[in-house]
Amino acid sequence: MKHNRFILFMLLPTLLLISFIILYPTISGVLLSFKNYSVFNFGNIKWIGMENFKEIFGDIFYMDVVWNTIKWIFFSVIFQLLFGFILALLMKEPFKGRGLYAGLVFYPWAISGFAIGLIWSWLLNGQFGVINDILIKLGFIKEGFNFLSDPTLAMFSVILVNVWYGIPFFAIMILAALQSIPNSLYEAAEIDGAGYFTKLFKITIPYIKPTLINTILLRVIWVMNFPDIIYGMTRGGPAGSTEILSVKMINTVFYESNYSKAAAHGVIIVLILLIYTIMYLKLTSKKEFSL
Amino acid sequence: MKKFIVFISLLLVALFAFSEETITLNLVEAFSSPWRTPTLNKIIEMFETLNPGVKINVISPPYETAYQKINLMVSTEQPLDIVEIGDWNLSTLAAMGKLEDLTPYINSWPEKNDLIDGILEAASIYHNTPYLLPHGLFAKALFYRPDVLKKYGFNDYPKTMKELYDMGKKLTESGKNQYGFAFRGKGYPTSFIDAVVTSFFDDIDPNNMYLTKSGKIVFEDPRAVEALTFYVNIYKDTSPKDSINWGWDEQVNAFVSGITPLLFQDPDTTGMLNEMLKPGQYKTAPLPVGISGKAYPSFGFVGWGIPTYSKHKDLAWKFIKFVSSAEINGYWSKAYGALPILKSVYKYDSYFSSYIFEGWTKMFEDKKHYQFTQYPLDNENWGKWNEFQEKTMQQVLLGKLSVVRCLKEWTDFWKKAGIK
């Protein structure tokens, strides 16, 4: 008992610090979502109950935003995982200039998402965009694609850029996991006559499964809370076709200057992520990792 | 050693006794930019040279979030003495009761009579009180490229909305990446939409862009259907499809490259165009009038105010007065691109009577066809309206929402917002 008290005492400074930097803003944000804190009400801030939530769910465009968010997360994470995996497999074996190659491949991860959004919005521009110019000069098309003005193409474009941006993270994580697989496993499998795909599905994937599970969990949370690229490229348009929940939250602050309503959006996002995390962890922890 | 200590002590006492205390004024600007902030700093240097013992500390929040930052700073009484206020956040700040009524200062200001007619009234939208002194004006005019128009056989600019459409259509050759009009689809397209829609009316309330003189909401009037259909046709027939996603940057870029030689913009675009185009390569003209024979440009302004809790109000006014003097206002407006607030500036500086400002000069003089009109900026749904109008308008342009349904949504929005 004394031992436990001592541990608690030693942990107390850390707990207090974490409470201050995490708990306080969280509680403050939740409380804010039940108030009328906007620039027009600075002189009359009061508790308004569920009004902000009612207004959000009463928005005729809200379900479109939810649907956009699902598409954004699903396609972004699936393709980031797929291409990140392929990249990590390609980079697993040492080759000449691997360091330089790795640097080039991983560099998108080092740039700010908002800057990437702006750069790509110009690259994909229908009139002045380099990509359209290349496609026209190569004779593939006669007129430039309206990448960001057609709702379907706009969603495709922002996901494409997000995939390009997010591949390095998956590649780094998977590469690190791949390098921890003992070579003896592959050697033993080869002696038993296992081919490339047998080794991939029977050794590689099961071995790195915990990394994959954790990386996917993290990426879904990050991608959902990552408005930077969309904001830089389309700001959620055209006609809300690329507006996801986090962009909606920013637009609520930017256009309406309604901080309480934006906080309510934030609370909804946190609740969705909380439910997702619990379900995901329950599903993935059922099958214990074993070799 | 003793002598040395006595000497140092005397020196310190003398320094404290004879040195003048430096007063630092905190100024927050709302429109920081690499073009404008250096000009403001130069003006401040001049003021500091003329007023020894006064220092001005400039706070420049990023442009995109400046209004929110300023609103928060003033509401929480952060140490500020001079605040830049735009017409879009004036009511918000004034409603907090933390802005000084500048009436006594302005009344004792000799250059008051030189102010452009109506500017002080426009700046007094909240409770009929001037809580700021404008330092620049904005109104949309038609920018055009005579060189491109000439290639297509046009020797003059379009004077009516119909001419604008016809000219734009003839200029449009999508295969050659040539279009007529620089359409604005995002980033506050409000004043652009309304300039077109209200031109179909001849009875707009001068105090509210969204009401007719009989008190009816503009969007529930049958004329609005024709007007908004016309607006959609401008997009479909004279502009790039991609322009549904264009803000200021893309519009100006397309104008500079000649892809869209017709553009509606504010005077602050002139600063950039003067650098990027040769003299005479662009000109300005009044906004085309609609079938009503009228046009209703909105009058935007930005100015300086003083927080009620400032400890140096008189000194803050001294600075505002200095910035608003004819010489400095001329220098400032030229560098920044806004329209000057004093009539004399237009006379003494030929730049403001040059072809660059022809569009605004003609509109100011022609009161029969041009009525400068205000927005319901003091309505707390104003910010929300900008997002709502942009999104619903884009849906109409994409064919997802009909013109009639859109107008009903807009009418319902303003009815709910209690516009009347």
Side-chain angles (χ1 to χ4, degrees), chain A residues 93-111:
Chain A
E93 302 302 327
F95 59 87
K96 208 180 169 188
R98 187 170 77 160
L100 180 73
Y101 183 68
L104 283 172
V105 164
F106 294 148
Y107 104 95
W109 192 248
I111 309 172

Side-chain angles (χ1 to χ4, degrees), chain A residues 17-236:
Chain A
L17 192 70
I18 289 175
S19 303
F20 183 72
I21 58 176
I22 296 177
L23 274 181
Y24 172 72
T26 309
I27 293 167
S28 170
V30 173
L31 292 176
L32 187 65
S33 68
F34 295 103
K35 292 180 181 174
N36 66 338
Y37 199 96
S38 78
V39 288
F40 277 90
N41 295 317
F42 278 146
N44 182 32
I45 307 295
K46 59 182 180 193
W47 191 263
I48 55 163
M50 298 296 286
E51 280 307 308
N52 288 318
F53 293 93
K54 274 186 200 164
E55 205 179 318
I56 287 171
F57 292 119
D59 181 350
I60 49 169
F61 302 117
Y62 192 70
M63 281 321 289
D64 293 342
V65 179
V66 173
W67 184 233
N68 288 340
T69 312
I70 293 168
K71 279 194 276 186
W72 162 253
I73 296 172
F74 182 77
F75 289 110
S76 294
V77 176
I78 284 285
F79 285 109
Q80 284 176 3
L81 168 69
L82 185 69
F83 291 116
F85 201 112
I86 293 169
L87 201 66
L89 285 175
L90 290 173
M91 290 179 62
K92 192 190 159 202
E93 302 302 327
F95 59 87
K96 208 180 169 188
R98 187 170 77 160
L100 180 73
Y101 183 68
L104 283 172
V105 164
F106 294 148
Y107 104 95
W109 192 248
I111 309 172
S112 120
F114 189 72
I116 284 176
L118 283 177
I119 292 165
W120 276 93
S121 73
W122 284 106
L123 288 175
L124 294 170
N125 188 293
Q127 269 60 51
F128 331 100
V130 175
I131 290 173
N132 269 323
D133 197 42
I134 292 170
L135 292 174
I136 290 170
K137 280 184 178 149
L138 289 174
F140 291 130
I141 50 171
K142 281 185 178 172
E143 275 186 46
F145 274 121
N146 296 307
F147 287 105
L148 303 178
S149 57
D150 178 276
T152 316
L153 274 180
M155 196 51 165
F156 167 79
S157 303
V158 291
I159 290 173
L160 184 82
V161 176
N162 195 28
V163 169
W164 173 80
Y165 178 71
I167 289 171
F169 182 76
F170 267 106
I172 293 166
M173 298 297 285
I174 295 169
L175 186 60
L178 288 178
Q179 284 169 345
S180 69
I181 304 174
N183 249 341
S184 56
L185 288 176
Y186 290 113
E187 284 163 9
E190 272 167 25
I191 291 166
D192 292 342
Y196 180 81
F197 286 102
T198 312
K199 283 189 282 179
L200 181 71
F201 288 105
K202 297 282 182 188
I203 299 172
T204 310
I205 293 176
Y207 205 95
I208 64 167
K209 198 175 148 192
T211 306
L212 289 177
I213 287 173
N214 290 330
T215 314
I216 292 169
L217 174 73
L218 278 177
R219 284 304 292 158
V220 168
I221 295 170
W222 289 352
V223 167
M224 184 162 178
N225 287 324
F226 185 62
D228 311 31
I229 284 175
I230 293 182
Y231 213 78
M233 287 177 75
T234 61
R235 213 185 270 185

Side-chain angles (χ1 to χ4, degrees), chain B residues 94 120 143 150 166 194 200 206 221 226 346 360 373 395 412:
Chain B
L120 214 51
F143 287 66
K150 207 170 180 184
D166 292 342
D194 299 330
F200 281 66
D221 191 290
E226 193 187 350
Y346 292 87
W360 292 282
T373 310
Q395 290 194 323
D412 291 347

